[in-house]
Amino acid sequence: MLVSMKAGIAYLAMPKTGSTAIETALAPECDIVMSGHPNLKHMRLRRFERQIRPILPPGDVATLAVIREPLQWLGSWYRYRARPQLQGQRNSTSDLSFDAFVEAWLQDDPPSYARVGRPAEFLEPPHSSPGIDHLFRYDAFDALAEFLSQRFGRPLAFETFNVSPAMELALSPALRRETIDRMAVEYTLYEGALCRSRDASIDRLT
């Protein structure tokens, strides 16, 4: 989680959306940098509004986050937890099919390897509070770079970090339909997210 009063931006780092690259690019110019521990780095909107916004100096600070296509987001978690470093640990997915991982995630009480939360929960605001101000698609990172370059007053480039192992992922047709139905809120957020920006006016493409 990053806050820049000069840029008027509070960046909320949803996991598996390029957060380390964004943090690396922006942190040197931010007034607040919460990194390292996942509960700090990946602070949700609700917690930010309740705990951080009240202590900020006066000024207009807009919240910003990135959202990934929901099934690709699950696939990124699966691939990340399949890396060799986790082999034999309870969070490892190396011995599981993607179908098995998604079936576990759909459970009311998922096992530890599938306990990754939901993007909609990350973006849920406190009661009677507005939602996220700026939500960009992960697959439109150039739009995010343009927007942040305007806010920070300089060209921004993002490095690549924490790339998950490459692998082909596919779900059985029935499970794919069930998962998409269960992630209807996530798909609504994703389809309404920002794909390109022009100065202060930002177009929503669906």
Side-chain angles (χ1 to χ4, degrees):
M1 193 280 293
L2 308 172
V3 177
S4 168
M5 298 304 299
K6 179 179 178 180
I9 285 293
Y11 165 64
L12 305 181
M14 187 185 300
K16 315 312 298 173
T17 60
S19 57
T20 300
I22 296 171
E23 177 185 309
T24 300
L26 301 184
E29 298 180 50
C30 287
D31 303 290
I32 298 175
V33 177
M34 291 192 174
S35 186
H37 194 284
N39 287 343
L40 297 176
K41 177 175 180 176
H42 300 299
M43 181 180 294
R44 298 181 178 189
L45 176 60
R46 176 180 294 185
R47 185 179 177 193
F48 171 82
E49 294 292 352
R50 287 179 173 172
Q51 298 183 2
I52 304 301
R53 189 179 293 279
I55 66 172
L56 294 179
D60 185 17
V61 174
T63 52
L64 179 148
V66 177
I67 189 169
R68 197 167 186 157
E69 195 279 334
L71 283 179
Q72 292 184 7
W73 181 79
L74 284 175
S76 182
W77 270 115
Y78 170 77
R79 291 185 293 113
Y80 182 70
R81 291 188 166 180
R83 67 195 194 279
Q85 296 93 321
L86 290 182
Q87 184 79 36
Q89 299 184 28
R90 63 177 185 167
N91 283 349
S92 176
T93 59
S94 60
D95 296 327
L96 295 170
S97 67
F98 187 42
D99 270 42
F101 172 78
V102 173
E103 287 174 346
W105 179 81
L106 288 169
Q107 296 176 18
D108 292 335
D109 184 19
S112 58
Y113 60 79
R115 198 172 296 136
V116 298
R118 297 182 58 161
E121 293 172 347
F122 184 92
L123 295 170
E124 183 179 3
H127 181 64
S128 301
S129 296
I132 197 84
D133 293 309
H134 302 293
L135 185 62
F136 283 86
R137 290 188 189 180
Y138 177 83
D139 54 332
F141 233 69
D142 54 342
L144 173 67
E146 179 187 349
F147 177 75
L148 290 174
S149 295
Q150 293 167 359
R151 285 293 186 121
F152 281 82
R154 65 177 179 86
L156 289 171
F158 299 106
E159 300 178 50
T160 301
F161 296 91
N162 301 330
V163 178
S164 301
M167 59 181 71
E168 291 292 330
L169 299 179
L171 290 175
S172 62
L175 183 57
R176 180 182 177 85
R177 288 193 297 270
E178 179 184 0
T179 308
I180 289 174
D181 287 344
R182 291 279 291 273
M183 301 186 84
V185 176
E186 278 78 12
Y187 274 100
T188 297
L189 288 166
Y190 173 75
E191 290 167 2
L194 307 170
C195 287
R196 65 182 182 185
S197 64
R198 287 198 295 266
D199 198 17
S201 172
I202 304 174
D203 293 336
R204 294 183 181 271
L205 304 183
T206 59

